Every structure is written in structure tokens, then in C-alpha cells.
Amino acid sequence: MPLPRAPHSLEAVVNPHSLTPVLRVLRLCLHLMVAALLALAAIRAAAEHAPDAPAVIGAAVVLAFVYALGPVLPKVSAAPAAAALWLAAVLVVWALLVLLTPDGVWLAFPLFFVQLHLLPLRWALPLVVVTTAVAVGGFGWHARTLTVGTVLGPALGAAVAVAVVLGYQALYRESEQRRRLIEELTEARSDLAAAERTAGVLAERERLAREIHDTLAQGLSSIQLLLRAAERALPDRPDGALGHVRHAREAAVDNLAEARRFVHALSPPGLDHSSLPAALERLCATTARTSGLAVHCHVSGTPAELPTPQEVALLRIAQSALANTVQHAAASRAELTLSYMDTEVALDVVDDGTGFRPSEVPAPGTDTTGSGFGLAAMRARARALHGTLVVESAPGEGTAVAVTLPVAHPSTATIPAGPSEQDRT
């Protein structure tokens, strides 16, 4: 049966339904102690046939009744004024019992806990001192003298009660701090997990955007150019139109394979069972065949195996740079150079087209024509591998795209460079 709680006491902030079994047992023990001490006082008074036995028994019964009202009445548990009134009534009846019998003094010990439980410390401690003084005075009143034992007994009981309550409060505060810390850590972990999920979604979206731009979009553009050429060739040159259609079909097959690969985050088909130089050679040949642009591929240095992410990034950047040349540069010639160095690998794509001002390129998604994604995707690929990408261009002076990627541990094993260097027309 729970005791009433004052709003500023320790238990006032504790949900009574969340009390541990230990606390419930302690409360029950406190109630049983009060009941046992009251019964002891009444029984001893009756057994000794003292003249004031009826008064002692009556005071014990009244005190038991008043004390039992505290846990029973809801107002006493909820209203501070009702709790203070209840405690005052208990102390008045207890003081009367102390005047009637020295056995009433022993009730001071459980009353210490009740006072410390109900009141804030600034009020409870003085009241504990007053209660101790009443208990000592009661011993002196009945014994007609004061001894060291009669003074130390109540004083030590008060000290023990205060120490227990203060220790419990310290443990409770520490437990609350730990609970709040665990809640904060749990919330922070949830926020971190949500942030990681969001970052993963954004990274995957960016990856898909780059892959679509560098593969499907460029492939569809090539198919469009080929079909347009086939349309111009009909009906006068059906053989030429058939060749354009055949190349368009091949481009569609290649882009279908690209789509399937990047959905599964695999390496590009151009790198399957071949080296990066060979893949770049094929890219130059395909670009020259579909666009009519003269594309030259060069390899300098000793070709070496690169980590797959570097090879994929270089191939994709080359695809995007050549696609920009075909679609926007109005160029007649393009040079692609792959350079192997000790700790770096570089790719340069240079054309003799109309050029542009790099500072005037719109940000991705801000232009109604859908431009701006190519350079942004190339820079993102280079940045993801701790590399650099530089674009140099001016109106009428062509364009140069240079990307450099670090290679921490380049392989010493050389690989075939693919077909010998040759011009593609």
C-alpha cells in the first residue's frame, strides 16, 4: 500500500506503477513495522495492567487509524496540503502516545522515513530533528533522567534514516542519468541509422543517374543519330540505310547489356575479359563509326592493371566526354590519351570543336534542356576516387577534359594495350 507523496519529494517524480519489487517490499515492511510497534505498545500496556492502559490502547488505535488513512485516501496522495495535514495529525497522535508510554518512542524510527519520504529535505530534516527531540524527551519523561543511551538511540536512528534516504536519492539520480543517457544514445543511434539510410539512398540515386547518363542516355543518342542517318539514306541508298540500322541494333544490344550490368553494380561489359586500353580502343572505334568523327586513341607509359573502380570511372568519363563532343562540340577530330604513371593514371579527351565557357554551364537540373549532368557526373566520379577533373575550353578553341586518379599500389604486371594505335574515321 503506497504512502502519499509530496510533489517535491523524491518519489513524487516516480511513476508508482513503475516501482520495483524491492521498493514495494520496503514500503510493506515500513507499514508492518508501524503496525507491529503499535500492537506492542498496546499489548504491553494491557499486560502490565497499567492505570493508563486504556488511554495507551486508545491512542494506539487512533494512531493506527490515522496512519492507515494516508495510503487509502487519494487526496492525501495527490494534494500537498492534504499530505501535510495527514502528517501533522500522525505526529500529534504519536506525541500523545509518547507521553502515555515509553514504547511509543520506538515509532520515531519509521516516522523518520515517512517524513523524509513526504517532504522536501529543507522541511524534512528540521522535522526529523524535532521528532528526535520528542523521542529523547519522551525517554527522559518516563525515566525521570537522561542517559547517553536514551539520547544516542533516537539520534542514531535519525542519522540512519537520513543516510538511507540520501543514499537512495543519490542512487535514483544516477539511475535517472543513466536512463536518460541510454535514451539519448538510442535516439542518436536511430538518427545515425536514418542518416546512413538517407545517405545510401542519395548515393544510389547519384550512381544510377551517372550510369544512366553515361550509358543509356549516350546509347540512345547514338541510336538516334544512326536512325536519322538511315532515314536520310532512304530510299536512294538502301544499303547505307541498312548499315546504319544494323549499327543502331548493335548499339541497342550493347546498351541493354549495360543496363543489366549497372543495375547489378557490375563492371561495364567493355571491361569483361579485356583491359582498359582495349575498351577505350573499342569506344573510339564505335564513336567514330556512329558519328563520323575522327577519333584517335593513344596509350602512353606501360599499361598496368588498375583497381576495378578506377577502370570503370575512366571508361565512363571517356564515354561521357566523347558523347559531349559528338552532341555539342561540332568537332571534326578528337584525341583520347590514357597515360600510366608511377602513382597516377591520367585520361585526356581533347577535341577541336566550338568550345564553351565552363563557368556558364548550368547546374544539373536547372536547365530546361536537361544539360549539365555530364560534367557533374564526371567530377563526381573523379572526386569519389580522390582524383581531380579539369575542363579547359573557350569559344572557338575546342575543349580538353583531363582526369587524374591516384593509384596507391599500381601493379607491376603489364597488360596488352589492345590494338595498335590508329586513327578511327
Side-chain angles (χ1 to χ4, degrees), residues 74 78 86 136 151 216 220 228 257 276 284 291 299 303 307 330 332 371 383 416:
W86 173 82
V136 173
V151 174
L216 298 183
L220 292 173
R228 187 176 298 170
L276 176 61
C284 291
S291 66
V299 177
S332 61
S371 61
R383 187 169 54 249

Side-chain angles (χ1 to χ4, degrees), residues 188-204:
R189 184 171 61 181
S190 300
D191 294 341
L192 180 59
E196 289 178 348
R197 286 193 297 270
T198 302
V201 170
L202 293 177
E204 184 64 12

Side-chain angles (χ1 to χ4, degrees), residues 87 91 94 108-109 111-113 115-116 119-138 150-151 153-162:
L87 182 59
L91 293 178
W94 170 74
F109 186 70
L111 290 179
F112 291 149
F113 287 98
Q115 295 162 2
L116 292 168
L119 303 176
L121 285 178
R122 65 178 181 274
W123 300 109
L125 291 179
L127 190 57
V128 167
V129 173
V130 172
T131 304
T132 304
V134 171
V136 173
T150 58
V151 174
L156 288 177
V160 170
V162 170

